[in-house]
């Protein structure tokens, strides 16, 4: 045992004395060559696949375009399309992928009754069955399942409730978000309760996807998004709900103030203040001024000043003017205070004139910078 330990110490010592460096350099060179070889092989494969796709696309697009113009737009066929006339080999994965993408382009472009005919063509080509099969059977990768859900949503194909329940119970948040989007696109307002009750675990990018899906639907009504606000939920969930409140102008300041008073997450508080301003919650102006005095967070104070400026009632002119004239405060605060004064014209005209008359060289530069933001005076 002692001899083995001595051998190890001898090998380590000789390595650090320089006799092992040639071997280290050789190993490093070999690994470097292997690394760059793998990179070049990967790049070559990527460009080869892209080249094959573009060649296949350029061949199929004219055929499919002429077929759609003739059968859907000219002859007004609704179903039972002569698919054999296409002359395509839909057994090949590449051709299937290209045809699917081209159909998506036309379906998003063509609306109304023609759009329904395009969806029927999509189904007759067998893509709906393929999509339904993929969402019913667990795949090694979630990309095919998400793609299939998007296809079914685009085609307005109804999926069985048992399958939807299984997808909503998936441990993968990406599959759940894709299911949310499917429900919103196909069922519209009827899916709101089901979706907003299961949003836990989404991040801000998922929230953006869901928000865009909701606003692109034909929904227009009085649904209460604020009922789902809760201080125990994540910022991403509350942000999504507040964005929808602002988009549909749902004025429920009480729910927003609950989030602010709870003060469990500063990002949520800042977003709630931002929403109060955008919703023109004019009865909250005094509360916003009190909130400004209670917190020292620079970002929160800036958002409060912006919200007061959006309200535009002229009730906080002294408050805003005092902030701007206080040279000890950060420039960002003073800048937003002055901007809020500008947005409250004509109520603030006298205050702005007084500030301009009393301004020293530094304040004059700041005012010129605020009023002419494209010109950098500071």
């Amino acid at each position: 045992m002692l001899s083995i330990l001595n051998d190890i110490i001898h090998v380590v010592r000789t390595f650090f004395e320089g006799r092992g460096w040639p071997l280290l350099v050789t190993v490093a060179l070999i690994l470097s060559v292997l690394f760059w070889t793998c990179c070049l092989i990967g790049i070559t494969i990527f460009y080869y696949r892209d080249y094959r796709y573009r060649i296949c696309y350029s061949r199929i697009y004219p055929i499919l375009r002429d077929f759609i113009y003739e059968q859907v737009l000219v002859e007004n066929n609704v179903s039972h399309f002569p698919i054999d006339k296409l002359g395509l080999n839909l057994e090949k994965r590449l051709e299937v992928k290209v045809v699917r993408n081209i159909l998506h382009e036309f379906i998003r472009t063509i609306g109304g009754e023609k759009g329904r005919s395009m969806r029927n063509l999509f189904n007759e080509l067998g893509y709906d069955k393929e999509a339904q099969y993929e969402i019913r059977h667990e795949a090694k990768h979630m990309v095919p399942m998400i793609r299939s859900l998007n296809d079914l949503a685009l085609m307005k194909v109804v999926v069985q409730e048992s399958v939807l329940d299984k997808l909503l119970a998936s441990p993968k948040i990406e599959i759940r978000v894709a299911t949310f989007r499917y429900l919103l696109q196909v069922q519209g307002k009827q899916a709101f309760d089901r979706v907003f009750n299961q949003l836990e675990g989404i991040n801000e990018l998922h929230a953006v996807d869901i928000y865009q899906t909701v606003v692109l639907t034909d929904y227009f009504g009085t649904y209460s998004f604020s009922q789902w606000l809760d201080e125990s939920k994540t910022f991403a969930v509350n942000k999504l709900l507040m964005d929808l409140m602002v988009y549909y102008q749902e004025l429920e300041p009480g729910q927003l103030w609950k989030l602010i008073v709870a003060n469990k997450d500063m990002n949520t508080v800042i977003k709630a203040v931002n929403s109060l301003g955008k919703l023109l919650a004019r009865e909250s102006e005094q509360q916003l001024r009190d909130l400004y005095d209670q917190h020292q967070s620079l970002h929160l104070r800036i958002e409060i000043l912006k919200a007061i400026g959006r309200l535009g009632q002229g009730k906080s002119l002294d408050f805003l003017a005092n902030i701007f004239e206080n040279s000890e405060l950060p420039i960002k605060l003073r800048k937003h205070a002055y901007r809020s004064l500008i947005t409250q014209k004509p109520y603030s005209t006298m205050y702005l004139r007084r500030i301009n008359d009393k301004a020293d060289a530094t304040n004059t530069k700041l005012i010129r910078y605020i009023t002419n933001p494209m010109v950098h005076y500071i």
Side-chain angles (χ1 to χ4, degrees):
M1 184 67 183
L2 185 60
S3 62
I4 295 174
L5 184 61
N6 288 332
D7 291 339
I8 294 174
I9 294 173
H10 176 71
V11 170
V12 173
R13 182 182 298 168
T14 56
F15 176 81
F16 283 102
E17 286 176 353
R19 277 175 278 180
W21 290 357
L23 177 62
L24 179 64
V25 172
T26 303
V27 172
L29 287 174
I30 293 173
L31 292 177
S32 178
V33 170
L34 290 175
F35 172 77
W36 287 110
T37 302
C38 292
C39 289
L40 290 174
I41 292 173
I43 293 171
T44 303
I45 293 173
F46 172 80
Y47 277 103
Y48 175 68
R49 288 179 176 177
D50 182 66
Y51 170 77
R52 289 184 61 216
Y53 179 87
R54 286 187 284 108
I55 292 296
C56 188
Y57 185 94
S58 62
R59 178 175 62 85
I60 293 177
Y61 184 84
I63 299 173
L64 200 54
R65 177 198 60 200
D66 295 342
F67 181 84
I68 291 171
Y69 284 172
E70 177 184 351
Q71 299 294 328
V72 177
L73 301 181
V74 177
E75 297 187 7
N76 295 322
N77 288 335
V78 177
S79 60
H80 303 294
F81 296 97
I83 296 173
D84 294 337
K85 289 185 178 181
L86 287 172
L88 300 176
N89 185 5
L90 295 179
E91 299 297 326
K92 294 183 178 180
R93 291 180 60 186
L94 181 59
E95 291 198 10
V96 170
K97 179 180 178 181
V98 171
V99 172
R100 181 201 297 263
N101 292 341
I102 294 174
L103 287 175
H104 283 183
E105 295 176 15
F106 278 98
I107 290 168
R108 292 189 178 98
T109 305
I110 302 173
E113 294 182 1
K114 304 295 185 183
R116 284 195 290 272
S117 299
M118 286 298 304
R119 288 194 286 273
N120 291 336
L121 173 60
F122 186 92
N123 295 339
E124 289 184 18
L125 286 169
Y127 288 110
D128 62 329
K129 295 179 181 178
E130 177 187 352
Q132 296 237 27
Y133 177 85
E134 287 179 347
I135 66 172
R136 282 175 166 80
H137 297 79
E138 292 291 338
K140 294 182 179 179
H141 304 287
M142 61 185 171
V143 174
M145 188 174 292
I146 294 174
R147 182 194 63 205
S148 298
L149 279 169
N150 293 336
D151 287 346
L152 294 173
L154 188 63
M155 299 303 112
K156 307 295 183 184
V157 177
V158 178
V159 178
Q160 292 179 358
E161 288 296 316
S162 58
V163 177
L164 291 174
D165 291 337
K166 180 181 177 182
L167 294 174
L168 290 173
S170 171
K172 297 178 180 178
I173 184 62
E174 290 80 6
I175 293 178
R176 298 206 303 273
V177 171
T179 309
F180 294 155
R181 296 182 62 194
Y182 166 84
L183 288 169
L184 293 169
Q185 288 178 268
V186 175
Q187 299 181 9
K189 182 182 176 181
Q190 285 70 28
F192 282 1
D193 288 342
R194 190 176 187 181
V195 170
F196 296 132
N197 191 36
Q198 303 182 62
L199 290 177
E200 289 303 317
I202 67 170
N203 59 33
E204 292 185 50
L205 289 177
H206 297 147
V208 171
D209 285 340
I210 296 171
Y211 171 82
Q212 291 178 338
T213 304
V214 173
V215 300
L216 289 176
T217 62
D218 55 0
Y219 164 73
F220 182 78
T222 57
Y223 184 83
S224 176
F225 298 101
S226 60
Q227 66 179 308
W228 300 105
L229 290 173
D230 196 297
E231 62 270 14
S232 63
K233 294 182 178 178
T234 62
F235 170 67
V237 175
N238 284 325
K239 179 179 181 294
L240 167 63
L241 296 168
M242 286 186 276
D243 285 339
L244 290 171
M245 288 176 64
V246 171
Y247 185 85
Y248 291 105
Q249 286 297 292
E250 181 195 343
L251 182 56
E252 286 291 343
Q255 296 293 333
L256 295 173
W257 276 107
K258 286 181 181 179
L259 296 178
I260 295 171
V261 172
N263 194 22
K264 289 191 175 182
D265 177 61
M266 185 53 66
N267 289 329
T268 302
V269 174
I270 292 172
K271 182 63 181 177
V273 171
N274 175 277
S275 300
L276 285 171
K278 291 180 178 179
L279 288 170
L280 302 180
R282 293 186 170 88
E283 68 278 7
S284 298
E285 188 162 350
Q286 179 59 50
Q287 292 174 277
L288 288 172
R289 292 201 299 269
D290 295 339
L291 186 67
Y292 180 93
D293 296 330
Q294 295 168 10
H295 290 270
Q296 299 300 318
S297 169
L298 178 62
H299 294 298
L300 177 57
R301 284 187 161 189
I302 288 173
E303 208 58 58
I304 291 171
L305 295 177
K306 290 161 67 175
I308 291 174
R310 290 189 180 103
L311 298 181
Q313 298 186 102
K315 295 181 179 180
S316 303
L317 300 179
D318 289 323
F319 173 75
L320 296 172
N322 291 335
I323 292 175
F324 178 79
E325 292 172 343
N326 188 349
S327 58
E328 297 181 358
L329 293 175
I331 286 182
K332 285 186 177 181
L333 275 180
R334 300 176 64 204
K335 178 180 70 174
H336 285 285
Y338 192 86
R339 282 180 175 170
S340 293
L341 282 172
I342 292 175
T343 59
Q344 302 209 29
K345 288 182 179 181
Y347 304 116
S348 60
T349 303
M350 293 181 58
Y351 286 85
L352 293 171
R353 187 180 299 119
R354 187 193 71 189
I355 290 172
N356 291 333
D357 292 341
K358 294 170 57 178
D360 55 17
T362 302
N363 285 348
T364 300
K365 284 184 180 180
L366 182 57
I367 291 171
R368 291 169 67 190
Y369 170 74
I370 296 169
T371 53
N372 301 279
M374 299 301 293
V375 182
H376 294 280
Y377 293 99
I378 300 179

